[in-house]
Amino acid sequence: MGFVGIETEYGIAVTGPEDVHPVRASALVVAAHRDLGGADVGWDYTEERPDRDARATPVRPEPPELTLGEAGTTNLVLTNGARLYVDHAHPEYATPECRSAADVVRWDVAGERILEAAARRAEQQLPDGSTVHVHKNNTDGKGAAYGTHENYLVDRSIPFGLLTRHLLAMFVSRVALVGAGRVGSEDDPALPFQLSQRADFFEVEVGLETTFRRPLMNTRDEPHADPDRFRRLHVINGDATLVEEATFVKVGSMLALLDAVASGGLPDPLELDDPVAAMRTLSHDPTLRATVATTDGRRLGALDLQEALLERCERALPAAGRDPATRAALDGWADLLVAARSGVDALFGRNDWATKLTLLEGFRDRHGLPPTHDRIRMVDLQYHDVRRDKGLYHRLVAAGRVARRTSEEEVVAAVDAAPEDTRAWFRGACVRRFPEAVVAAGWDSVVMDLGAERGLVRLPMPEPGLGTRALTQAAVEGAHDVTDLLRRLDVREELPGQLA
Amino acid sequence: MSTGGRRTERSGRSGRPEESAAQDVAGAAERPLLDDVDGLLDEIDAVLEDNAEEFVRGYVQKGGQ
């Protein structure tokens, strides 16, 4: 399997005596993490090119310029290799690069703990009685949406159009397995419940934008890696998931499908007549009975589509050749599908929409409320609260009603330490060991200050699989300073900015 | 009828509550699970934001990607 990361924009709101703008609140949260001991290393923006489009002719990037980037407390690189920053008036946490679905679940949950602690700490900067509310969700129910994006590294040689054709049916139908659920709809305020937080916000099949006219398949072409060999697939249509099994299946099923596409062993893509409309149709039916038209003349439901995709993956990836992560991903996908076939009761505790729907219906019955009453919306919202003493998902975990895949010990460790098998390890280790000399870092670079004589040097890291603990630990831990570090890494100092 | 029947033999899950097999009844008129969630609903009532309606009405996000 490949490389994967998840970036999550969190909802944020402050209650109390003072009105606090969400941009300021987000900045306070990020600064609070730094104050809690997160290092003060900013982001290197040199290689950011969000406007590059996968459908255009590939262009070799300009030689990197040496720049301080926009270092500062609204944009941090963390010792676990993650990024914590303010994006569009939301605090955002991007996991380090991981090599498996299991790992990305762990580092994604670590992000929840970081936000929880930072939100609590940020309250100290505000008047008494202030509370900073942070939610891992995707909509305020009033027309605004914010994203949870999955990033998958894929082989550049796979045509983007082929990827699109194989993935659209997955994007549309996976809401039934891994949607987070929400009360109401952008199209129909009276809709009691739908499977996905994001479905209503997608308007086109393919496109470059992410904040309006959202496309199911985003064409952003910003690999943060060797652009001749790698593509970073930027998947924006998923929901933020709290139930760890749902996160695991969301990512694992995608990794398996991408491996299947890469294998060349898939038949012609399973395609839908109108993927955008289909996503809404399927999302709007929590009974999972709705069907949508395929281009080959059938009508299939969400679970039928998921089953078809799973079977195709299994055939394209023969059992004998599957590594443990692939086997786990396919098994997890199949297990959740079995539960889904049995109905919402079997899905309780296995994904967010079914867990949430059960709570909403119970609460509705107990209090005699109509399905879209504001108190019901509060249950929907508070399900996603990151505070473990208040968030309803967390209360369910505490009550033993929702299982976790991770232990709290390994999540706590992931707050500070990076995955060992990707370049995130080197990035995080540099931030930890040499915070004063690491001026900035990005996904594919570390900028170091070698002192008055040599000045700034940018170390490119175009290979997500290098910079691992195995390759770099000895150098990182043995070096006296960053000049020594670069020497130990066998880097040619006479070519600042073009270090291999 | 489920086309997923042949999958029920799969293993590979760990650490999850053991009740799912017993609930595997399609089309059941009752919702036994809802009785079990009474305790959870008690807790929701206890931890739910005071002034829930006000909070929800005031919850507005700028939106992002």
Side-chain angles (χ1 to χ4, degrees):
Chain A
M1 308 201 107
F3 296 84
V4 54
I6 300 176
E7 42 183 318
T8 304
E9 292 173 316
Y10 283 74
I12 188 164
V14 179
T15 55
E18 188 181 322
D19 246 349
V20 181
H21 193 281
V23 171
R24 178 170 172 240
S26 300
L28 287 174
V29 166
V30 174
H33 177 72
R34 181 205 54 186
D35 294 343
L36 285 168
D40 193 359
V41 175
W43 193 252
D44 174 17
Y45 280 97
T46 311
E47 285 298 312
E48 303 273 320
R49 287 183 179 79
D51 56 325
R52 181 166 297 151
D53 191 316
R55 295 164 297 182
T57 306
V59 169
R60 183 163 289 282
E62 304 292 310
E65 293 168 10
L66 295 179
T67 174
L68 283 173
E70 289 184 38
T73 58
T74 58
N75 213 316
L76 296 180
V77 185
L78 309 187
T79 57
N80 66 353
R83 186 183 175 192
L84 179 68
Y85 56 115
V86 178
D87 189 4
H88 288 100
H90 294 266
E92 181 160 346
Y93 171 85
T95 71
E97 303 91 321
C98 297
R99 297 224 59 170
S100 67
D103 275 357
V104 83
V105 170
R106 185 178 161 201
W107 268 272
D108 184 49
V109 177
E112 297 174 28
R113 301 293 182 269
I114 288 171
L115 267 300
E116 180 188 14
R120 256 183 190 125
R121 173 71 180 227
E123 290 166 359
Q124 295 180 12
Q125 305 301 318
L126 296 169
D128 284 352
S130 302
T131 304
V132 177
H133 303 262
V134 173
H135 296 86
K136 192 185 188 191
N137 68 349
N138 299 111
T139 181
D140 60 2
K142 299 186 181 68
Y146 30 105
T148 298
H149 300 164
E150 301 138 69
N151 296 276
Y152 301 94
L153 209 66
V154 299
D155 195 314
R156 194 87 192 178
S157 65
I158 303 172
F160 190 79
L162 184 67
L163 274 174
T164 304
R165 294 178 60 209
H166 276 295
L167 291 176
L168 283 176
M170 169 63 113
F171 294 157
V172 164
S173 59
R174 65 181 185 162
V175 297
L177 290 188
V178 297
R182 72 165 277 199
V183 171
S185 160
E186 298 302 303
D187 313 321
D188 173 14
L191 185 73
F193 184 82
Q194 65 171 302
L195 301 178
S196 165
Q197 297 236 320
R198 292 274 281 178
D200 291 345
F201 297 96
F202 286 90
E203 298 179 46
V204 300
E205 286 177 30
V206 183
L208 185 60
E209 294 87 358
T210 55
T211 58
F212 63 97
R213 269 182 62 81
R214 289 182 179 86
L216 290 173
M217 184 73 170
N218 182 233
T219 58
R220 176 177 295 178
D221 189 4
E222 216 187 1
H224 297 310
D226 183 345
D228 292 330
R229 294 169 45 224
F230 299 119
R231 176 188 306 289
R232 177 175 62 105
L233 191 63
H234 187 232
V235 176
I236 69 171
N237 53 68
D239 289 348
T241 44
L242 285 160
V243 175
E244 295 180 14
E245 179 177 358
T247 310
F248 179 77
V249 171
K250 177 173 65 174
V251 172
S253 60
M254 278 294 299
L255 286 170
L257 182 52
L258 289 170
D259 275 356
V261 173
S263 76
L266 286 176
D268 285 345
L270 173 58
E271 299 187 85
L272 303 175
D273 275 356
D274 187 345
V276 171
M279 190 178 186
R280 290 177 201 226
T281 298
L282 297 179
S283 180
H284 291 186
D285 179 20
T287 69
L288 305 180
R289 288 197 292 259
T291 59
V292 295
T294 63
T295 55
D296 58 7
R298 294 177 290 164
R299 290 201 68 87
L300 296 178
L303 299 183
D304 298 329
L305 288 165
Q306 284 290 302
E307 178 137 20
L309 290 166
L310 169 58
E311 284 174 0
R312 284 155 161 257
C313 287
E314 288 175 331
R315 266 183 250 123
L317 303 171
R322 292 174 199 162
D323 61 26
T326 304
R327 262 181 267 131
L330 290 169
D331 283 351
W333 189 0
D335 283 351
L336 193 55
L337 192 45
V338 167
R341 288 288 189 197
S342 301
V344 64
D345 286 357
L347 280 175
F348 181 85
R350 311 281 304 267
N351 72 17
D352 292 287
W353 76 256
T355 305
K356 187 193 286 186
L357 179 60
T358 303
L359 297 181
L360 291 170
E361 289 184 336
F363 194 85
R364 193 197 296 173
D365 290 346
R366 171 183 278 211
H367 296 287
L369 295 169
T372 58
H373 189 276
D374 281 343
R375 281 181 74 76
I376 302 293
R377 294 180 185 278
M378 188 67 225
V379 175
D380 182 357
L381 179 56
Q382 196 162 334
Y383 178 88
H384 299 272
D385 193 321
V386 298
R387 293 174 294 176
R388 278 170 286 168
D389 58 341
K390 294 288 191 189
L392 302 183
Y393 158 77
H394 289 295
R395 301 319 304 152
L396 289 170
V397 171
R401 300 306 300 275
V402 178
R404 290 178 53 182
R405 294 187 53 94
T406 60
S407 69
E408 193 58 24
E409 290 70 31
E410 61 186 350
V411 165
V412 168
V415 167
D416 291 316
E420 298 184 355
D421 50 5
T422 74
R423 61 187 176 185
W425 197 87
F426 180 76
R427 176 189 317 127
C430 285
V431 167
R432 179 185 305 102
R433 266 223 75 200
F434 306 109
E436 70 296 331
V438 175
V439 168
W443 297 115
D444 57 352
S445 67
V446 179
V447 179
M448 297 176 177
D449 186 351
L450 298 190
E453 286 181 9
R454 292 188 181 85
L456 294 182
V457 157
R458 183 167 179 271
L459 179 63
M461 302 188 64
E463 292 276 349
L466 300 183
T468 60
R469 177 179 176 179
L471 291 174
T472 61
Q473 179 175 25
V476 171
E477 292 182 355
H480 314 300
D481 55 30
V482 288
T483 304
D484 189 22
L485 171 63
L486 296 181
R487 193 176 301 129
R488 286 165 186 258
L489 290 172
D490 197 20
V491 170
R492 293 180 298 159
E493 290 180 271
E494 64 270 24
L495 295 173
Q498 296 178 51
L499 297 165
Chain B
M1 41 12 39
S2 165
T3 59
R6 65 189 167 86
R7 302 235 179 278
T8 54
E9 267 67 75
R10 269 183 193 274
S11 59
R13 293 279 293 105
S14 62
R16 77 169 209 65
E18 233 99 17
E19 70 257 29
S20 180
Q23 294 168 350
D24 185 7
V25 178
E30 285 160 34
R31 299 289 302 280
L33 181 60
L34 278 186
D35 298 335
D36 295 346
V37 310
D38 248 7
L40 296 174
L41 295 176
D42 288 341
E43 175 147 27
I44 292 177
D45 280 330
V47 304
L48 197 68
E49 186 74 19
D50 298 333
N51 304 315
E53 286 97 323
E54 188 185 323
F55 186 92
V56 156
R57 284 182 217 130
Y59 186 80
V60 176
Q61 299 295 302
K62 296 292 184 190
Q65 304 188 46

